Amino acid sequence: MTTTITVIRGDGIGPEIMDATLHVLDSMDLGLQYEFADAGLVALEKHGELLPAATMDSIRKNRIALKSPLTTPVGEGFSSINVELRKRFDLYANVRPAKSFPNTKSRFPTGVDLITVRENTEGAYSAEGQALSEDGETATSVTKTTRRGSERIVRYAFELARKTGRKKVTVVHKANILKSTSGLFLKTARAVAMEYPDIQCNEMIVDNTCMQLVMKPEQFDVIVTTNLFGDIISDLCAGLVGGLGLAPGANIGTDAAIFEAVHGSAPDIAGKGIANPCALLLGAAQMLDHLGMTEKAERLRAAIVATLEAKDSLTPDLGGEGNTMSFAKAIAGRV
Ligand code: ATP
Ligand code: MG
């Protein structure tokens, strides 16, 4: 059986890390077929649009996309193509694993293995009611939380925990101060948690969560939270375990899912062939999980860990002397 996925090679280091990632995937006999589609700067140059209709159609049809970083030029209609994609496909769950890897210059080379599930469509980022008074002295915005939005993200987190054999979900909130919005989120989360007696559920206020993450990150398993808190916490977690080159993310909706590296297009190193492909590779592993190929996903992750352990052909950001392709080949040799 073959599965067709949409592949967006992207801007800056995008094409380099995508070629490396596809090289590894091709070595795994996954039965994947790639449908290449353009987005970002490269699409603007080729088709006069940042997000061509053909690209949208491809994602809609295949329901799965693997995407490299995209550059959104200033003044081209929308503020971010990534945000636009999330909106158009209602990709409500932003799922960001953070795991300790060997031989990275990180604070926690062992002990961290957590997933942040961030609500991706509402909360403080709903973009509603953004206003600046005429005299420029007062700015306001609306934070919108819905029961439906809260319920589906919390349910996603519990289902993810159950599916991946994780034991605990921590609901992160600020309901003591933001009584209406964060309050509704917490109340809804408590009700959903009742349906999952097999998964432990605890609640934590966001400021304390930040301190706990820095001091004792090993206590966390799955974290579920609203948009703004999730944005900050997921970057904090990436920082705990070695930063951008190793941080993948998935944006998941009912009708489509997009898998990516968390980092941007890194124009400073584009074209040099030295970008670390691991973040996108780990995004591809999330994609395999999503497609039900759990055993293959595990094999891919294990090959990355083994290559890091052996310090085989690592890219310069990891202190190695390899390059994007030599690193990928070393990983492919271990899957
Ligand atoms: P964008 O405008 O697309 O967000 P950026 O310059 O902000 O691009 P980021 O990805 O946010 O790029 O990265 C910040 C810095 O981290 C880059 O300048 C780059 O040096 C480094 N970096 C990011 N991703 C990688 C990677 N995969 N491998 C090595 N270094 C990376
Ligand atoms: Mg950036």
Side-chain angles (χ1 to χ4, degrees), residues 13 17 69-71 244-245 263-269 274-277 279 317:
I13 58 171
I17 58 173
L70 304 173
T71 303
L244 285 176
H263 59 72
S265 60
D268 55 327
I269 55 166
I274 55 167
N276 183 350
D317 60 303

Side-chain angles (χ1 to χ4, degrees), residues 213-274:
L213 275 168
V214 171
M215 295 186 70
K216 284 199 299 177
E218 66 280 358
Q219 72 184 286
F220 294 95
D221 198 349
V222 176
I223 290 173
V224 64
T225 190
T226 45
N227 208 337
L228 169 63
F229 299 158
D231 189 10
I232 297 166
I233 283 177
S234 51
D235 264 31
L236 191 162
C237 292
L240 293 176
V241 295
L244 285 176
L246 292 161
N251 294 285
I252 295 177
T254 312
D255 302 322
I258 300 181
F259 300 85
E260 63 190 3
V262 163
H263 59 72
S265 60
D268 55 327
I269 55 166
K272 296 186 178 159
I274 55 167

